[in-house]
Amino acid sequence: APEVAGAEGTILVVDDNADMRAYLGRLLAPRFAVHTAVDGGDAFDQIQARRPDLVVSDVMMPNVDGVELVRRIRDEPELADLPVILLTAAASTEAAAEGFDVGADDYLVKPFTAENLLLRVVARITAGHDRRRRMALGDLRGALGSATTAAEVLAAADSFLQGQLGADITGLALVEERTGTVRLWHRPGLRAGVGERYRSGTIATPAPAFDAIRTGEAVLVADRKTMTERFPDVRADMAAAGIQAAAVLPLRTATDVVRGSLAAYWSAPRVLTEHETGLLTDAAGVVAEAVDRIAVNDQEHRFLIEFQERLLEIDHRSTEAVVTVLYQPARNSLVGGDWYDVITLTDGSVGITIG
């Protein structure tokens, strides 16, 4: 089945009755991307090839029925949290109960209203999205915990954006605090020499990565062909780089400072769903936390280096001071670190210790 632009999720409908498959497809297609299977065996093969967001399955089917399908799904660790709604005739409620026993999430008795089915479907897909969203963001935060460079931040963000949103290229732009220059990194890189033109710039540079920093607002391009004249040179560069769609979000810290932007690029038109937009926004927030932490650490490091260098600014030719250097290896019981002390010596002179 073709994908639905802006679909709220993917549903696999499983039923041996062609009329029922067609009916459910018509009912769900306006909001979801719908795929169909003729029995549990066919469904399980499709699920292993491409995981849907929800399975809606009849219980009574030849070959592999709905209960056995649920059992096979729950036996696979990667599919254990895949939600399943069973559809059953009134006479087969015992089979539905068996489905619950092996791990089905919900069931509906035929005949059912379209409204009731849609309510159940939306609830299950929303809950599944929220659960996976929390897990994915937790993994991203963990991966960023040890990052100390822009390249390491982008590597973690790239893994997240590829896995969760299917991004073909990812980008990170950071503002250098001292100069105001915006530096950019892309993974795996921009082809056709485009990357050379997007290594650095200022927040006034007319391109989405810079504009998101300047305005503090997201820049969403579903299809470069529909771009406005806001970025006159970007459309050609996107075409040369094989980019059709883009989503760029500002990296706004908890103190409301925009330190850069995070970008995801696709080689085909892409309309983000509300869930995907929220996921990307949350990811930008997590990346902003890491970028802010690294920036603060770098600032503290520069301060300590400057402080140390100023303490060591002693003219060795001076007759006003005697400089003595002693190297003392640390013992196992000591913990390393920088420290400074000023001592008044017995003859009234001053000693400075730097460790």
Side-chain angles (χ1 to χ4, degrees):
E3 295 299 327
V4 178
E8 297 175 27
T10 303
I11 299 176
L12 178 61
V13 171
V14 190
D15 202 304
D16 60 318
N17 185 297
D19 291 338
M20 179 58 72
R21 290 197 304 271
Y23 168 72
L24 293 173
R26 289 194 302 271
L27 183 62
L28 299 171
R31 295 180 62 175
F32 306 98
V34 180
H35 301 265
T36 60
V38 297
D39 61 30
D42 180 21
F44 192 68
D45 289 341
Q46 292 192 42
I47 292 168
Q48 288 184 306
R50 183 175 185 180
R51 172 179 168 143
D53 294 301
L54 174 69
V55 175
V56 178
S57 175
D58 189 22
V59 172
M60 305 299 291
M61 293 181 292
N63 302 319
V64 179
D65 63 18
V67 173
E68 177 60 24
L69 173 60
V70 175
R71 183 178 289 109
R72 292 186 183 185
I73 290 173
R74 296 297 177 248
D75 284 343
E76 293 290 331
E78 298 82 3
L79 302 174
D81 62 342
L82 175 60
V84 180
I85 297 177
L86 293 178
L87 306 179
T88 177
S92 61
T93 52
E94 290 183 2
E98 185 181 357
F100 274 129
D101 289 340
V102 297
D105 297 273
D106 203 350
Y107 86 98
L108 278 172
V109 176
K110 300 175 184 178
F112 49 80
T113 65
E115 181 182 10
N116 195 5
L117 175 64
L118 284 172
L119 286 173
R120 307 275 185 108
V121 165
V122 170
R124 292 298 171 185
I125 286 186
T126 301
H129 281 168
D130 291 344
R131 180 174 59 253
R132 291 195 299 276
R133 182 172 173 171
R134 289 192 299 271
M135 293 176 61
L137 290 170
D139 291 343
L140 175 61
R141 185 173 279 107
L144 288 169
S146 59
T148 59
T149 65
E152 291 173 348
V153 170
L154 180 56
D158 178 69
S159 178
F160 176 89
L161 294 173
Q162 280 195 37
Q164 297 298 315
L165 298 173
D168 296 302
I169 300 173
T170 53
L172 178 68
L174 297 178
V175 181
E176 292 186 347
E177 190 172 356
R178 289 186 169 186
T179 65
T181 301
V182 180
R183 302 290 182 187
L184 290 88
W185 297 263
H186 296 91
R187 190 179 177 104
L190 300 176
R191 69 179 190 225
V194 177
E196 298 297 326
R197 295 195 292 276
Y198 290 93
R199 290 188 182 277
S200 65
T202 70
I203 59 173
T205 302
F210 305 95
D211 194 69
I213 300 172
R214 182 179 62 82
T215 64
E217 300 292 336
V219 179
L220 303 178
V221 180
D223 188 340
R224 70 166 186 264
K225 295 179 181 178
T226 61
M227 287 180 67
T228 65
E229 297 305 316
R230 183 176 174 186
F231 310 113
D233 299 324
V234 173
R235 185 184 299 178
D237 286 337
M238 288 176 66
I243 295 172
Q244 191 77 19
V248 186
L249 276 80
L251 297 178
R252 188 184 300 277
T253 70
T255 55
D256 205 33
V257 175
V258 178
R259 291 200 178 272
S261 64
L262 178 68
Y265 302 101
W266 293 271
S267 58
R270 181 65 182 266
V271 178
L272 294 178
T273 66
E274 182 179 350
H275 163 73
E276 290 173 332
T277 302
L279 183 63
L280 187 55
T281 301
D282 288 346
V286 174
V287 172
E289 292 175 7
V291 167
D292 193 42
R293 171 181 55 78
I294 293 171
V296 170
N297 289 345
D298 287 347
Q299 186 179 39
E300 291 178 350
H301 180 69
R302 288 196 304 270
F303 172 78
L304 290 174
I305 293 298
E306 291 174 2
F307 182 40
Q308 187 174 29
E309 288 174 348
R310 291 187 181 185
L311 284 173
L312 292 172
E313 286 176 358
I314 300 174
D315 187 349
H316 291 197
R317 297 166 298 175
S318 173
T319 59
E320 302 298 323
V322 176
V323 178
T324 301
V325 178
L326 173 65
Y327 173 71
Q328 178 64 47
R331 296 187 302 273
N332 291 336
S333 59
L334 298 180
V335 178
D338 290 343
W339 55 270
Y340 313 90
D341 201 1
V342 178
I343 304 169
T344 302
L345 303 178
T346 55
D347 62 356
S349 58
V350 176
I352 301 177
T353 61
I354 303 173

